[in-house]
Amino acid sequence: MTSWLVRVFVPNADDVGDPAVRTRYGLVASVTCIVCNVALCLGKGAVGLLAGSVSIVADALNNLSDASSNVVSLLGFKLASRPADDEHPYGHGRYEYLAGLVVAVLVCAIGINLLGSSVEKIAHPEPTEFGPAVVVVLVASMAVKLWMSTFNRRLGRAISSETLEATAVDSRNDVISTAAVLASAVISQLTGFDLDGWAGLAVGAFICWSGVELVREAVSPLLGRVPDPAYVERIRARIMSYPGVLGTHDLMVHDYGPGRQFASAHVEMAAEGDPLAQHDLLDNIEQDFKVEEGLVMTLHYDPIVTNDPEVRDMRHWIDLAVKGIDERLSIHDLRCVPGPTHTNVIFDCVRPADCALAPGELRERIGALVRERYPRAICKITIDDSYVSSRQ
């Protein structure tokens, strides 16, 4: 039954690239969760007040806070769907990331509030009533929250929504917290030892921990996190699949919200080829990315001398030599300018952010290696930063 209900709402893979479809599913998810959370809050709140249970009342307030988080998600989807304008030419997609951050902060606030209430209950214990109504409302709450977690997780993955994935984690936390409340109520009834406050303390600590993790995940795309390695490899493989492309480097991917990615890269092609034909090929590659991937791609043409065996051998040797310093290093755009007393060897080296050598140290180290092999060489090395994973 749960699986069927989830499938009803999950869009087809072909539809999620459409911003209007994506926004519509986000709004449906938010409204659905608001209705569920308000109903759970009313049910658990009434039972918790009658039973005198701080953990059940706290769980009900947790649901009310979840409903407010869903309102934030709804606003996030609505604002993110606004089209680009003069002040925001890349659109407003990052509103969704901001909404995810607000949800994560609210989760932390819920955990902190629950910790305070639980400490108060431990310091000043009061009797807690236990009956069939408590069991029914808590079991029903767990069932609803389990469905909501599955629903938000699958829909969030289908439309690549950080906000819905955060909501899924929050719903999962609610299942665990409600289970702890139920377990403490049963144990307290059987043993006579009141565990209500201690259960609330444990649940509050778990919610705080989950909230901190959610904050970290929500902040990451706003700061400009590294693109998915599989996505980077797919871009590279697609560029390399075109005839005449010898290599690609300096790939950058900019994320302005789900479905709003922009990228740029340098493409190496034979310097001896027809520049007009090569420019036309790059235009075709850019257009293919836009039509088939929804990715706005800008490509830069790097001419590579292919009919000089000495330059080719030097390029190959230096590329292998720098990997002896750090296997993640790579070079590109190598060219030679010979003179009567020396030869300028000009190239770029891509340095990962966590490389042990500073740019100046790396430049000197590579230059020394090249001079050992080519005594007449004077290296002019530009150290580039890597904007994708340092493992690639």
Side-chain angles (χ1 to χ4, degrees), residues 91-380:
H92 298 79
R94 285 182 176 173
Y95 268 122
E96 189 175 330
Y97 294 155
L98 289 172
L101 178 59
V102 172
V103 170
V105 171
L106 287 174
V107 171
C108 291
I110 293 165
I112 293 172
N113 181 67
L114 182 54
L115 287 175
S117 300
S118 300
V119 169
E120 180 69 21
K121 181 65 182 288
I122 293 171
H124 305 285
E126 296 178 0
T128 301
E129 295 184 12
F130 181 81
V134 172
V135 176
V136 171
V137 75
L138 293 182
V139 171
S141 173
M142 290 169 60
V144 172
K145 280 292 184 176
L146 184 61
W147 176 82
M148 289 173 64
S149 177
T150 305
F151 168 60
N152 283 290
R153 184 179 65 253
R154 291 189 61 181
L155 188 54
R157 290 176 179 175
I159 65 174
S160 300
S161 171
E162 299 277 347
T163 302
L164 291 185
E165 296 227 31
T167 302
V169 173
D170 189 31
S171 296
R172 180 208 64 187
N173 292 347
D174 289 344
V175 174
I176 296 173
S177 64
T178 302
V181 170
L182 178 60
S184 70
V186 171
I187 294 173
S188 298
Q189 181 70 16
L190 294 176
T191 63
F193 182 72
D194 189 4
L195 294 176
D196 190 41
W198 293 103
L201 193 66
V203 171
F206 175 74
I207 291 175
C208 285
W209 175 78
S210 298
V212 171
E213 290 296 310
L214 288 174
V215 168
R216 291 176 58 188
E217 293 175 7
V219 167
S220 186
L222 292 171
L223 293 179
R225 68 183 171 194
V226 66
D228 179 19
Y231 185 53
V232 170
E233 185 55 37
R234 190 165 81 244
I235 292 174
R236 284 180 166 163
R238 188 181 186 97
I239 293 174
M240 292 298 298
S241 68
Y242 289 83
V245 173
L246 303 177
T248 181
H249 55 85
D250 285 351
L251 174 64
M252 298 182 186
V253 179
H254 305 277
D255 186 352
Y256 290 92
R260 297 170 178 84
Q261 281 74 39
F262 299 78
S264 61
H266 289 212
V267 177
E268 298 175 348
M269 306 178 76
E272 302 81 19
D274 180 357
L276 292 178
Q278 290 169 333
H279 184 272
D280 183 66
L281 175 61
L282 295 182
D283 279 347
N284 290 336
I285 298 174
E286 291 173 348
Q287 187 63 23
D288 289 347
F289 269 108
K290 186 172 183 178
V291 172
E292 299 177 24
E293 300 261 355
L295 178 65
V296 179
M297 172 69 77
T298 302
L299 298 177
H300 172 77
Y301 165 47
D302 278 344
I304 299 296
V305 175
T306 60
N307 59 2
D308 187 331
E310 292 184 6
V311 174
R312 183 179 63 246
D313 291 345
M314 177 183 287
R315 183 187 302 113
H316 179 68
W317 184 88
I318 296 176
D319 192 45
L320 292 177
V322 299
K323 294 186 185 305
I325 301 173
D326 187 321
E327 64 180 8
R328 299 170 299 171
L329 296 175
S330 62
I331 69 162
H332 56 83
D333 288 350
L334 185 142
R335 60 192 185 278
C336 295
V337 182
T341 60
H342 65 274
T343 297
N344 285 331
V345 180
I346 307 165
F347 59 90
D348 295 358
C349 177
V350 179
R351 172 186 174 274
D354 59 349
C355 181
L357 297 175
E361 296 173 321
L362 181 59
R363 190 181 294 110
E364 289 295 327
R365 182 83 174 271
I366 296 173
L369 282 175
V370 174
R371 284 193 298 272
E372 288 180 8
R373 174 82 174 192
Y374 303 97
R376 285 172 46 87
I378 295 181
C379 293
K380 308 291 184 181

